[in-house]
Structure formats: structure tokens, C-alpha cells
Amino acid sequence: MISSLAVRVFPRGVPGVRSVMQHGVHTMFGDPFDATVDPGDPGLMGPGSATWQLLGEPCVMPMGFRALLVQMLHPIALEAVHTHGSFAEDFLGRIKRTALYLQLANFGSTGQALDISATVQRIHRRVVGRTAQDEPYSAGDPHYLAWVGMTFTESTLAVHRAFGQRPVTDELADRFVAEQAVLNALLDPRVDLDALRADPDAGARLRDGEVPLPLVEEGWVPTDVAGLSRRLAEFQPELELRELGRASFRWLLDPPDLPMAQRAGWRVFVTSTLATLPPQWRDLLDQPDSPLRDAVVAGGTRTLFDVFRVLHGPLTLPSLAASRVERRPGDGNAGDEGAQLQRAT
């Protein structure tokens, strides 16, 4: 009741406090994407999408860390990441690069989304090798592409169910999984992103399902919640925490190079994230179930996000994306308006 009244009084957050909070968010996740380019372009998702609705909520902030924890449970995927750049080498940089991909793919213009997907494809081409147990890996392998993509999709739904303001309907969840399947499928090296970038109708064709995407057509990535649960269960026999995984988990619990200003927020991320993991994943991390503790953590985290909504107001990304869509090419002040919004947020 009090939080609802406060939101009506301060619909865009509490002046001054919002700026301080945004500085902390941007320090951790990087600055917002440039919403002044491609005016009028809805991007690959667009207004009304499940993606804009779910990723526009503050409760998704622990999503990336949760996805990272789950990805660690696949020893081959983890060794590939470690061999080609471990967490400890540039932790905040890695977080910011991942956040930039998520921003541009989900909220950027069509061109920005395709450009960042092409960048990820190029990086993946270098991530090829064998583990210490002589297991082959390739970041462009459909198997591992699907695994990594599904961890982000599943983690978004999990944090919403645990900490969101309102329940996620089955229909909304299915739409979200289907939308994220498209983004995941664009990272497949078999998809010609140069050709898509040269196609002025690529965004509309992708949104309408008219572009062949092998990861979707061949069933590597699911397009509804039931399929997501089924595919994740198929990965369960491959999951284990080897020594590298245990060391990485210990490091992630308390990153030594994390600035003091971010440590309190990081502790909240860690504690709240662990409380959302299903038993089979918690067992691998040696984090036993504790229903009472989890309920207390979930309730406390929901309260924190309620306070965040009051003090900070709406998240920046949806409003930036919406401002781009509302402008039209050729508007004389489109760039000025976009720059003003960028500075304001």
C-alpha cells in the first residue's frame, strides 16, 4: 500500500536518489545502449513483446548471475570459458560485456541486435579446443549454444517467479521462451548475419518467424516452457562440479576484486540467486535445500525490489527502447531528444 502510494508520488523515482542508484547500476552493468540510432525501429522484440515486459522489471537484475551459476554446472562449457578467459581475469568487464549483449539483443534496434550477435559469433569461432579430460568443445556447437541460451531464459523466469511483483502467466512465459529462442538461434554460425543485416525487412521477418533458424527448426532450443523444462532435464546427466567448478564457485561467492561499494549488492545477488535454484542444481553446488531460509530470503528480496522501484523508478532500458520506436526517421530533433533521454537516465 505504502509502496504503491510512493510510486504514484514519484513515478520516475526519487530525484537525487535515482541518480545515485543508477550510477551504481551502471558501474556494475555498464552504461545504457545508444537509443538515438535507427529511430522508429522496434528491434527484434518490440513493444508488446514478452521480452520487454519481463526484462523491464527490476527483479531480473540477479538473472545474469544466476545464469552464470547454472552454466558453471556444465564442466565442458565451464572449461571452455576458463581456457579462453576466466572469470577472475576481468570479472566486471565480463559482466558488462554480457550485459551489453543482453541490452542490444533484447532492446536495441534490429541493426544493433544483429551487429552484437555477429560479434558474439566471431568470438565463438575462437573458442575451440579440448578439456583436460580430452573432451572436445566448440562455442559454436548447437549443443552448447542451446545450453547457454537456455540458462538465461530459465533464469529470467525463475527470478520473476521468486521476486516479481505479479505472477507470470503461462501464456506470457511461453511467448518469452519463443522470443528468446530466436536470439539464441542467431548465434548459430550457420545463420548468415551479413545477409540479414543487408535485408531492410530482416527485423519483421524474424519477428514473424519467416527466417530459417536451424537451432529452432532442429529442436536444439525450445519454444515453450514445457520444451524448456524437457531440454534442461536432458542436460542433467552431463552436469557436475569438478575442481575448476568448485574453485569458480568459491570465487564467485566473494570476488576479491569487486569494489567495496558493490559488495553489499553482490551479497544480495548471491543469496537470492541460490534460493531460486532447484534441488538438483543446489545439490551439485553443495547448497542443501532450506525451505524456511529460502522463504525468508525470497520475502526479503521482494521487499528490496519494492524499495528499489520506489527510489529508482522504472528501469532505463524499456524507456530508451520505447523512445526510439516513437521517433521517426527524418525527425529534426530525433537525435537531440534521444540524447536528452540518454542523459536523463
Side-chain angles (χ1 to χ4, degrees):
M1 182 68 157
I2 295 176
S3 63
S4 297
L5 176 61
V7 168
R8 287 198 294 272
V9 174
F10 300 108
R12 290 194 54 78
V14 178
V17 178
R18 174 179 168 87
S19 298
V20 172
M21 295 178 72
Q22 284 189 328
H23 176 72
V25 172
H26 296 168
T27 299
M28 176 68 76
F29 299 110
D31 293 328
F33 68 97
D34 185 356
T36 66
V37 300
D38 301 329
D41 189 314
L44 298 185
M45 300 297 148
S49 66
T51 292
W52 281 25
Q53 183 172 336
L54 294 183
L55 295 186
E57 270 290 305
C59 70
V60 300
M61 288 194 289
M63 173 270 289
F65 177 69
R66 187 187 185 281
L68 179 59
L69 270 185
V70 178
Q71 290 167 23
M72 279 175 34
L73 297 178
H74 198 297
I76 298 177
L78 176 62
E79 189 156 345
V81 169
H82 182 79
T83 302
H84 296 268
S86 69
F87 306 126
E89 290 177 352
D90 183 19
F91 183 54
L92 285 179
R94 191 175 195 89
I95 288 179
K96 289 178 180 179
R97 288 190 294 273
T98 300
L100 179 63
Y101 165 75
L102 293 173
Q103 285 189 47
L104 293 175
N106 290 289
F107 292 101
S109 68
T110 300
Q112 288 173 318
L114 294 177
D115 284 347
I116 195 66
S117 297
T119 297
V120 174
Q121 274 197 17
R122 287 194 297 272
I123 293 171
H124 281 176
R125 282 198 285 271
R126 303 195 298 266
V127 184
V128 179
R130 305 186 79 86
T131 69
Q133 285 76 23
D134 201 35
E135 301 148 317
Y137 63 78
S138 168
D141 186 316
H143 189 68
Y144 298 118
L145 282 175
W147 166 249
V148 172
M150 287 191 297
T151 63
F152 284 108
T153 302
E154 189 273 342
S155 290
T156 300
L157 294 175
V159 296
H160 259 279
R161 287 165 177 153
F163 313 129
Q165 269 190 306
R166 55 187 64 84
V168 177
T169 66
D170 293 343
E171 184 270 340
L172 183 64
D174 280 340
R175 282 202 292 128
F176 179 72
V177 174
E179 291 167 5
Q180 292 301 300
V182 172
L183 296 187
N184 199 182
L186 289 177
L187 303 183
D188 184 348
R190 295 173 292 178
V191 176
D192 187 345
L193 293 178
D194 287 336
L196 284 176
R197 286 187 290 180
D199 179 0
D201 297 321
R205 292 176 59 224
L206 282 163
R207 288 191 299 273
D208 293 340
E210 296 175 356
V211 176
L213 297 172
L215 282 190
V216 174
E217 295 173 347
E218 296 168 5
W220 292 102
V221 293
T223 55
D224 57 29
V225 172
L228 178 63
S229 298
R230 186 168 54 252
R231 288 287 289 126
L232 287 171
E234 291 170 357
F235 273 88
Q236 188 62 34
E238 302 175 32
L239 306 185
E240 63 173 305
L241 210 63
R242 297 175 183 171
E243 180 53 39
L244 176 60
R246 288 189 288 272
S248 298
F249 181 53
R250 289 193 298 269
W251 192 93
L252 284 171
L253 290 178
D254 188 20
D257 296 331
L258 193 68
M260 289 300 297
Q262 275 79 55
R263 285 188 179 275
W266 189 255
R267 294 288 186 181
V268 172
F269 274 24
V270 171
T271 305
S272 63
T273 295
L274 291 174
T276 67
L277 296 177
Q280 68 271 23
W281 292 346
R282 293 176 66 150
D283 288 345
L284 291 172
L285 292 168
D286 196 24
Q287 298 289 315
D289 282 341
S290 176
L292 178 59
R293 182 189 63 193
D294 292 348
V296 170
V297 169
T301 305
R302 279 193 295 271
T303 299
L304 284 175
F305 281 124
D306 285 342
V307 173
F308 182 95
R309 291 183 189 95
V310 171
L311 299 179
H312 182 279
L315 289 188
T316 300
L317 301 182
S319 59
L320 283 175
S323 74
R324 181 192 66 242
V325 177
E326 290 167 2
R327 296 193 304 273
R328 289 294 176 267
D331 286 353
N333 60 349
D336 292 340
E337 288 178 357
Q340 290 168 9
L341 179 59
Q342 201 90 23
R343 289 193 295 271
T345 56

